[in-house]
Amino acid sequence: MIDVLIFATLNGLVTGLLLFLLASGLTLIFSMMGVLNFAHASFYMLGAYCAFSIGQYTGFWPALILAPVLVGGFGALVERYGLRHVHKSGHVAELVFTFGLAFLIEQAVQSFWGADTKNYQPPALLDFPLFTLFGQDFPAYKAFMLLVSIGIFIGLYWGLTRTRTGMIIQAATSHPQTVANLGHNLPLIHTLVFGAGSALAALAGVLAGPVLTTFPGMAATLGSIVFVIVVIGGLGSLTGALVASLLIGLLQSWAIAVDVGMADLLHWVGVEFPPDHPLKDIWRLSLPQLAPVLPYLLLVLMLIFHPSGLFGKREG
Amino acid sequence: MKHLLPWIVFALLLLMLPWLFPSVLGISILNEMAIAIVFALSYNMLLGQGGMLSFGHAVYFGLGGFMAAHALLGMELGGPIFSVTLIPLVAGGFGLLAAVLIGSFSTRRAGTAFAMISLGVGELLAALALILVSFFGGEAGISGDRSLGPAFLGADFAQDSQVYALAAVWTFVSTLAMYLFTQTPAGRMANAVRDNPERAAFLGYNVQRVRLLSFIVSGFFAGVAGGLFALHYEILTAQNLSTTTSGNVLLMSYIGGVGFFTGPMIGAVVLTLINSVLSHYTELWLLYLGLSFVLTVMFLPQGLTGLLMMHRTPWRRGRLRSLLRPYLLTGIPATLCLFSVFALLEMLHQGSGSVMFFGLALNTEQPWAWLGALLLAIAAAYGWRRSLPSLREAWRSASQEDAP
């Protein structure tokens, strides 16, 4: 039991920090522009696919840098020529635009890369078990993912709180007019932040591609979860995004690992149920089955009882 | 009499269409259109009339549909037997029930918060549908037989054309009911709350209750659409309440135009046609659909209906003819540009070998095919751009009011 828990925790950390790479960009973009970017996970998918294609010519390491740069540039273009154009039609139109973009990118990936799963492998350099615990291997690549994610988090934190650019970005989220009056190019800041957020998402994609498989549905499977995270963490809060990412990552990982069901619970209380009971689906529910449902359940409960999220400010 | 005319035309259209397209495929597409129209109209009650952007409207469509499928299945398994003409009512009732439950907490706020809750509920239901096998049927779904109920006016509904008659009647009644709802004080208040919730609250209205009422009515008609779906296909799967279906209805309403009552109907017809006709010609039809959706959001925020309605003023003033030449001057290069871009996309999709494009065999191995398409695209785009100022000028002079 203890070995299962340890590995579940490690895997949960890997997933959680990966989710944070996505959630941090999303929440930064939201706090600055007020747009929840539906296409954020699509940039993550584009990152994985670009890295796969580039990697066929150059190998993994150059692709690790090139793919996020490429996707970040694409994200900046989307902001400059797409989102800014839609901005005047209001927030609902912006949300609908990013939704359409996500749909479009998924179709484009399916049309030009194919609907099949890509054979995107971790680099040979990291293709060995880092350590073996209770007879189970922990791959070095996952440790590398963990390391990169932590590095990005520290870099992001330092960059936003200690550098001049970070200060301007923070000021642009809270007092956009003042920042513009001081002579900073506010639209350019928006474009850059959007591009940087897309690049972070793409980096997450490059890292996750070999582990979570590279296929056209990868954006849809992760996209809604990232939304859940930024809402639970509190829209616009970077700390909230980190806490919620880890929470969701661990929660899902543990739920899959711990095979406890309603039947066990009822048995423990001393209640048995007939197998042909009309509500048998509910009596038979088990935690691994519920794992995919948990984030959404948490989201709905959060929005009902504490809409501003864990670390969010009160809504104006 | 004047406002009865559109309804008479609508009823005549519903009556005539099966005579114009009597083939099996034609009737099937008409059925799909009828379902889509009711679904999209119910969606626009939220988005267009109530200002609530929902990413989970398929929940009510799907739950209603599943209930209808269970009712059909029940007739087979010795449950209550009743006329299948009432199936949409059963489905609508269940959709309404779900909307009451979910709406009671989701309508507290509009905007992004509402959109998020709808997405969360949608994903929650979609995930639950795979777990709760006895209601949702798991991978296989729930299927029933629509011909087991007592005959109605001599029809046992085994044939698609009989289902069309049923769907047409339900579509007409639902459309009329949804239109009449917009004319009631509750419908008017929904618009007020959409435009300025604070002001509506200051006037003494309970904003949440106004939204909830729209939400419930919308849930009912989404359920009706789900019931018609169950009758037409005789099967429901988890796919029908997934976020893909929710996204689809958003696409329909937006492309049609959310600012007009008829917008979603036009969107439903156009998208059903694209869905069933274009998909025969190209594998990339979903890509084109996504492209046209994004372009619609960017350049035609009022949708296709908005584009049509823009021409009302020039038409009234008899200036429509003066627009013909600039339209042609812009339209020809625009069509050429899109044509060559699509050719490029098809070639890119094909990868190797040759691809048939409008009767043209394009060989992807040959560099001139790529170069030709690319050059044509660039040249046409240049011509398109050059023609825009004169179009704008012509449009301005055609739609401007004369000086008194």
Side-chain angles (χ1 to χ4, degrees):
Chain A
M1 191 65 193
I2 188 81
D3 54 329
V4 176
L5 270 181
I6 287 177
F7 271 92
T9 309
L10 279 173
N11 283 327
L13 278 178
V14 173
T15 328
L17 282 169
L18 187 80
L19 288 172
F20 173 72
L21 280 185
L22 282 159
S24 56
L26 188 62
T27 207
L28 207 62
I29 290 168
F30 176 81
S31 54
M32 182 163 280
M33 296 181 242
V35 190
L36 259 181
N37 180 14
F38 250 96
H40 202 68
S42 310
F43 293 125
Y44 152 85
M45 172 160 73
L46 279 180
Y49 271 92
C50 284
F52 167 73
S53 288
I54 296 171
Q56 293 198 316
Y57 299 100
T58 65
F60 177 81
W61 301 104
L64 181 67
I65 307 292
L66 281 175
V69 170
L70 211 66
V71 176
F74 174 65
L77 288 178
V78 164
E79 200 282 332
R80 175 66 186 82
Y81 295 102
L83 208 53
R84 198 177 297 178
H85 189 92
V86 182
H87 182 72
K88 57 180 181 286
S89 315
H91 276 328
V92 167
E94 286 176 311
L95 208 55
V96 172
F97 171 77
T98 61
F99 176 81
L101 192 67
F103 181 83
L104 182 61
I105 291 177
E106 185 178 328
Q107 294 311 324
V109 164
Q110 236 176 64
S111 306
F112 303 125
W113 267 291
D116 51 333
T117 302
K118 290 285 169 250
N119 182 26
Y120 179 17
Q121 293 294 337
L125 187 64
L126 290 173
D127 206 5
F128 64 93
L130 186 67
F131 57 83
T132 308
L133 207 65
F134 309 109
Q136 214 174 341
D137 292 338
F138 187 74
Y141 185 73
K142 279 193 178 175
F144 171 70
M145 284 170 72
L146 214 60
L147 218 66
V148 174
S149 314
I150 293 173
I152 292 286
F153 170 66
I154 293 172
L156 206 60
Y157 188 78
W158 179 81
L160 277 176
T161 53
R162 297 279 183 279
T163 66
R164 201 179 149 70
T165 321
M167 295 293 184
I168 296 170
I169 290 175
Q170 281 200 341
T173 60
S174 54
H175 299 88
Q177 288 312 317
T178 316
V179 171
N181 287 343
L182 285 173
H184 296 289
N185 188 344
L186 201 61
L188 184 70
I189 297 176
H190 283 185
T191 309
L192 289 180
V193 168
F194 199 92
S198 315
L200 274 185
L203 180 68
V206 181
L207 290 174
V211 181
L212 300 177
T213 65
T214 307
F215 69 109
M218 67 189 287
T221 43
L222 220 64
S224 314
I225 303 272
V226 178
F227 265 34
V228 171
I229 286 169
V230 294
V231 173
I232 289 180
L235 282 168
S237 162
L238 213 56
T239 328
L242 179 69
V243 174
S245 302
L246 291 175
L247 182 73
I248 297 283
L250 289 171
L251 199 66
Q252 274 198 308
S253 182
W254 282 335
I256 292 170
V258 182
D259 193 3
V260 181
M262 284 286 261
D264 303 299
L265 211 66
L266 290 172
H267 182 77
W268 186 65
V269 191
V271 182
E272 296 290 335
F273 66 95
D276 55 346
H277 193 278
L279 294 173
K280 62 176 185 290
D281 284 341
I282 295 176
W283 297 142
R284 275 195 205 144
L285 279 182
S286 65
L287 217 46
Q289 260 187 320
L290 277 177
V293 185
L294 284 177
Y296 305 113
L297 203 62
L298 215 59
L299 169 77
V300 172
L301 290 178
M302 190 59 118
L303 282 168
I304 295 172
F305 294 110
H306 194 72
S308 56
L310 291 175
F311 292 84
K313 296 178 203 77
R314 274 186 65 99
E315 270 182 85
Chain B
M1 190 60 211
K2 201 186 162 205
H3 45 260
L4 270 183
L5 191 68
W7 296 101
I8 295 168
V9 172
F10 182 42
L12 281 177
L13 261 179
L14 285 172
L15 270 175
M16 303 248 301
L17 280 170
W19 268 273
L20 290 175
F21 305 100
S23 65
V24 177
L25 180 69
I27 295 291
S28 175
I29 291 178
L30 286 179
N31 278 344
E32 284 169 37
M33 274 180 194
I35 296 163
I37 284 175
V38 178
F39 190 27
L41 279 174
S42 81
Y43 182 76
N44 206 39
M45 274 182 129
L46 297 181
L47 179 57
Q49 284 137 29
M52 291 175 269
L53 172 60
S54 166
F55 291 109
H57 203 52
V59 166
Y60 314 97
F61 175 83
L63 284 178
F66 269 105
M67 204 59 210
H70 275 291
L72 290 175
L73 190 65
M75 291 193 208
E76 215 167 306
L77 303 176
I81 290 184
F82 56 94
S83 173
V84 293
T85 51
L86 297 176
I87 284 283
L89 202 62
V90 173
F94 200 63
L96 182 142
L97 212 65
V100 169
L101 270 176
I102 296 166
S104 64
F105 60 83
S106 75
T107 52
R108 258 182 242 163
R109 279 157 320 140
T112 308
F114 177 85
M116 287 293 94
I117 297 192
S118 71
L119 180 77
V121 171
E123 291 276 10
L124 191 66
L125 253 289
L128 275 178
L130 298 172
I131 300 175
L132 303 177
V133 179
S134 44
F135 186 76
F136 295 106
E139 295 272 312
I142 298 288
S143 43
D145 187 339
R146 66 188 177 207
S147 60
L148 292 177
F152 181 79
L153 298 177
D156 64 353
F157 299 104
Q159 308 239 305
D160 267 5
S161 52
Q162 290 168 336
V163 174
Y164 174 76
L166 177 63
V169 171
W170 269 99
T171 304
F172 186 80
V173 172
S174 305
T175 307
L176 188 64
M178 279 188 266
Y179 177 74
L180 290 178
F181 180 80
T182 63
Q183 305 298 311
T184 61
R188 296 289 189 201
M189 271 321 290
N191 293 355
V193 168
R194 169 196 65 192
D195 294 333
N196 198 335
E198 264 149 23
R199 206 158 154 187
F202 269 115
L203 287 174
Y205 287 95
N206 183 339
V207 176
Q208 190 200 344
R209 197 169 295 166
V210 173
R211 285 199 199 105
L212 182 60
L213 192 62
S214 293
F215 194 82
I216 291 171
V217 178
S218 165
F220 173 78
F221 285 109
V224 168
L228 292 175
F229 183 95
L231 282 177
H232 176 56
Y233 289 99
E234 297 184 289
I235 183 166
L236 262 105
T237 60
Q239 172 72 22
N240 300 124
L241 45 70
S242 71
T243 40
T244 316
T245 310
S246 298
N248 214 12
V249 74
L250 169 63
L251 254 69
M252 277 181 199
S253 310
Y254 221 90
I255 289 180
V258 289
F260 304 90
F261 183 80
T262 42
M265 302 171 80
I266 291 177
V269 169
V270 170
L271 250 74
T272 312
L273 275 181
I274 288 179
N275 201 334
S276 39
V277 178
L278 195 62
S279 57
H280 282 291
Y281 291 100
T282 168
E283 287 176 28
L284 293 184
W285 67 280
L286 277 170
L287 181 72
Y288 299 139
L289 182 61
L291 211 57
S292 46
F293 178 57
V294 169
L295 291 177
T296 307
V297 178
M298 284 180 70
F299 299 108
L300 282 178
Q302 293 299 318
L304 293 176
T305 318
L307 188 68
L308 287 177
M309 294 305 252
M310 265 166 61
H311 292 82
R312 259 206 322 205
T313 323
W315 183 61
R316 277 214 202 99
R317 302 180 57 233
R319 292 273 182 84
L320 220 47
R321 190 180 287 264
S322 72
L323 284 173
L324 194 65
R325 214 177 88 91
Y327 269 3
L328 275 178
L329 278 179
T330 308
I332 290 171
T335 315
L336 270 178
C337 181
L338 289 178
F339 177 81
S340 40
V341 167
F342 290 163
L344 280 172
L345 288 176
E346 291 286 340
M347 274 157 55
L348 209 60
H349 170 63
Q350 190 69 22
S352 60
S354 71
V355 54
M356 285 305 282
F357 185 70
F358 284 100
L360 220 68
L362 298 170
N363 191 344
T364 55
E365 245 94 290
Q366 228 119 51
W368 61 261
W370 291 91
L371 206 67
L374 197 66
L375 283 179
L376 185 62
I378 293 171
Y382 179 73
W384 186 0
R385 227 188 136 79
R386 277 294 297 275
S387 71
L388 281 180
S390 65
L391 174 67
R392 222 170 272 141
E393 183 54 38
W395 177 256
R396 213 167 51 85
S397 73
S399 57
Q400 220 167 36
E401 292 297 332
D402 291 312

